[in-house]
Amino acid sequence: MARFYGTDLPTALMLGTSLYPSPAVMAEAFRRSGASVATVSIRREAASGTAGEDFWSLIRQLGVRVLPNTAGCHSAREAITTAQMARELFETDWIKLEVIGHTDTLQPDPFALVEAAKVLVADGFKVFPYTTEDLIVAEKLLDAGCEVLMPWGAPIGSGLGLTNIHGLKTLRAQFPEVPMVIDAGLGLPSHAAMAMEMGFDAVLLNTAVAKAGDPAAMAEAFAKALQAGKLARAADPMEPRNMASPSTPLIGKAFLS
Amino acid sequence: MNIILNGKPAEIAGGTLAATVTELGYGEKRIATAVNGRFVPIREREALQLGEGDRVEILTPRHGG
């Protein structure tokens, strides 16, 4: 069971709430995924609008924990203000801290990320920083008081999977006690299974489910992949080897040529 | 008095942020507020007097990844 800031989550899936064809499809995807956490955001709305209230009502019906994000923020100041507003709005001190540094890749700005994390931790937030696999940034985030890391698998929405397996393995090995969530870039359940096989504690995804032809079925596929990957990790996988090794015994084989 | 509300010019009677939120029709809604880039908690809206040209953000829950 994955534990984040003292909270045990029953499953290893954190699921986004964007890009679904309809609210009903989103709700069904959540039901079949067994996701423990829903990521959410805050946005402008006209006084006459109902989207905010409708969304909040839907989220409450899902019965999952809410993780607000600071998506779209490009500076520490902007992310801090957004986090503070989200805390009041969603009544949670959990925050998925995103500070975007590059428009095309949506790569996090590590300097602003660490700066914002320091301020938010001091303000009582439980920060889930969206970061890269960079070891030094990870160290700085932990020094800032983050107790969870969320390295990307690949750029947000790309569906490429784990593009730097070596870097992610190194990060996992360097900080074995830190809960880690692979956040962003996953496209297939096999990517999620691999993340769990590598020892990560959870995955956070959105587009891979929401933009599938059948989001609910894909959500269930991810749930099963996560279970398989977690079980495989616990089962202590064999070490790969370069040369063949016969699995059928040679002793007792008939001489037939 | 003129302010910038959620990025657009708006004319309000003036007064506190709490009064403005009600005047604009957000009184019963689940919202969070910021003025000039700074978060303003619910408990501080009553004490905050808005000024000419202030940038007011009123945000609501929304989907996110």
Coordinates of all heavy atoms in Angstrom, one line a residue, chain A residues 12 162 182 191-203 225-234:
Chain A
A12 N -2.6 2.4 -6.3 CA -1.5 3.1 -6.8 C -1.8 4.0 -8.0 O -0.9 4.5 -8.7 CB -0.4 2.2 -7.2
L162 N 8.0 5.7 -20.3 CA 9.2 6.0 -19.5 C 10.4 6.3 -20.5 O 11.0 5.3 -21.0 CB 9.5 4.9 -18.5 CG 8.3 4.5 -17.6 CD1 8.7 3.4 -16.7 CD2 7.8 5.7 -16.9
I182 N 5.2 8.3 -10.6 CA 5.5 8.7 -12.0 C 4.3 9.5 -12.5 O 3.2 9.1 -12.6 CB 5.7 7.5 -12.9 CG1 6.9 6.7 -12.5 CG2 5.8 7.9 -14.4 CD1 8.2 7.4 -12.8
H191 N 3.3 0.7 -19.7 CA 4.2 1.8 -19.1 C 4.0 1.8 -17.6 O 4.9 2.0 -16.8 CB 3.9 3.2 -19.7 CG 4.0 3.2 -21.2 ND1 3.3 4.2 -21.9 CD2 4.8 2.5 -22.0 CE1 3.7 4.0 -23.2 NE2 4.5 3.0 -23.3
A192 N 2.7 1.8 -17.1 CA 2.4 1.8 -15.7 C 3.0 0.6 -15.0 O 3.5 0.7 -13.9 CB 0.9 1.9 -15.5
A193 N 2.8 -0.6 -15.7 CA 3.3 -1.8 -15.1 C 4.8 -1.7 -14.9 O 5.4 -2.1 -13.8 CB 3.0 -3.0 -16.0
M194 N 5.5 -1.2 -15.9 CA 7.0 -1.0 -15.8 C 7.4 -0.1 -14.7 O 8.3 -0.4 -13.9 CB 7.5 -0.5 -17.1 CG 9.0 -0.3 -17.1 SD 9.7 0.4 -18.7 CE 9.7 -1.1 -19.7
A195 N 6.6 1.0 -14.5 CA 6.9 1.9 -13.4 C 6.8 1.2 -12.0 O 7.7 1.4 -11.2 CB 5.9 3.1 -13.4
M196 N 5.8 0.4 -11.9 CA 5.7 -0.4 -10.6 C 6.7 -1.4 -10.5 O 7.3 -1.6 -9.4 CB 4.3 -1.0 -10.6 CG 3.1 0.0 -10.6 SD 3.2 1.3 -9.3 CE 2.7 0.4 -7.9
E197 N 7.1 -2.1 -11.6 CA 8.2 -3.1 -11.5 C 9.5 -2.5 -11.1 O 10.3 -3.1 -10.5 CB 8.3 -3.8 -12.9 CG 7.2 -4.7 -13.3 CD 7.1 -5.0 -14.8 OE1 8.0 -4.6 -15.5 OE2 6.2 -5.7 -15.1
M198 N 9.7 -1.2 -11.5 CA 10.9 -0.5 -11.1 C 10.9 0.0 -9.7 O 11.8 0.6 -9.2 CB 11.1 0.7 -12.1 CG 11.5 0.3 -13.5 SD 11.2 1.6 -14.8 CE 12.3 2.9 -14.1
G199 N 9.8 -0.1 -9.0 CA 9.7 0.2 -7.6 C 9.1 1.6 -7.3 O 9.1 2.0 -6.2
F200 N 8.5 2.2 -8.3 CA 7.7 3.4 -8.0 C 6.4 3.0 -7.2 O 5.9 1.9 -7.3 CB 7.5 4.2 -9.3 CG 8.7 4.8 -9.8 CD1 9.5 4.1 -10.8 CD2 9.2 6.0 -9.3 CE1 10.7 4.7 -11.2 CE2 10.4 6.5 -9.7 CZ 11.2 5.9 -10.7
D201 N 5.9 4.0 -6.5 CA 4.8 3.7 -5.6 C 3.5 4.0 -6.2 O 2.5 3.4 -5.7 CB 5.0 4.6 -4.3 CG 6.3 4.3 -3.6 OD1 6.4 3.3 -2.9 OD2 7.3 5.1 -3.8
A202 N 3.4 4.8 -7.2 CA 2.1 5.1 -7.8 C 2.4 5.8 -9.2 O 3.5 6.1 -9.5 CB 1.3 6.0 -7.0
V203 N 1.3 5.9 -10.0 CA 1.4 6.7 -11.2 C 0.3 7.7 -11.2 O -0.8 7.4 -10.6 CB 1.4 5.8 -12.5 CG1 2.5 4.8 -12.5 CG2 0.0 5.2 -12.7
A225 N -2.8 -3.4 -14.8 CA -1.4 -3.3 -15.0 C -0.6 -2.9 -13.8 O 0.5 -3.4 -13.5 CB -1.1 -2.3 -16.2
L226 N -1.2 -1.9 -13.0 CA -0.6 -1.5 -11.8 C -0.5 -2.6 -10.8 O 0.5 -2.8 -10.1 CB -1.3 -0.3 -11.2 CG -1.1 1.0 -12.0 CD1 -2.2 2.0 -11.7 CD2 0.2 1.6 -11.7
Q227 N -1.6 -3.4 -10.7 CA -1.6 -4.5 -9.8 C -0.5 -5.5 -10.2 O 0.2 -6.1 -9.4 CB -3.0 -5.2 -9.8 CG -4.0 -4.4 -9.1 CD -5.4 -4.9 -9.4 OE1 -5.6 -6.0 -10.0 NE2 -6.4 -4.1 -9.0
A228 N -0.4 -5.8 -11.5 CA 0.5 -6.8 -12.0 C 2.0 -6.3 -11.7 O 2.8 -7.1 -11.3 CB 0.3 -7.0 -13.5
G229 N 2.2 -5.0 -12.0 CA 3.6 -4.5 -11.8 C 4.0 -4.5 -10.3 O 5.1 -4.8 -10.0
K230 N 3.0 -4.2 -9.5 CA 3.3 -4.2 -8.0 C 3.6 -5.6 -7.5 O 4.5 -5.8 -6.8 CB 2.1 -3.6 -7.3 CG 2.3 -3.3 -5.9 CD 1.1 -2.6 -5.3 CE 1.2 -2.4 -3.8 NZ 0.1 -1.8 -3.2
L231 N 2.8 -6.5 -8.0 CA 3.0 -7.9 -7.6 C 4.3 -8.5 -8.1 O 5.0 -9.2 -7.4 CB 1.8 -8.8 -8.2 CG 1.6 -10.2 -7.7 CD1 1.4 -10.2 -6.2 CD2 0.4 -10.9 -8.4
A232 N 4.6 -8.1 -9.3 CA 5.9 -8.5 -9.9 C 7.1 -8.0 -9.1 O 8.1 -8.7 -8.8 CB 6.0 -8.1 -11.4
R233 N 7.0 -6.7 -8.7 CA 8.1 -6.1 -7.9 C 8.3 -6.9 -6.6 O 9.4 -7.2 -6.2 CB 7.7 -4.7 -7.6 CG 8.6 -4.0 -6.7 CD 10.0 -3.6 -7.3 NE 10.8 -2.8 -6.4 CZ 12.0 -2.4 -6.8 NH1 12.5 -2.5 -8.0 NH2 12.7 -1.7 -5.9
A234 N 7.1 -7.2 -6.0 CA 7.2 -7.9 -4.7 C 7.7 -9.3 -4.9 O 8.3 -9.9 -3.9 CB 5.8 -7.9 -4.0

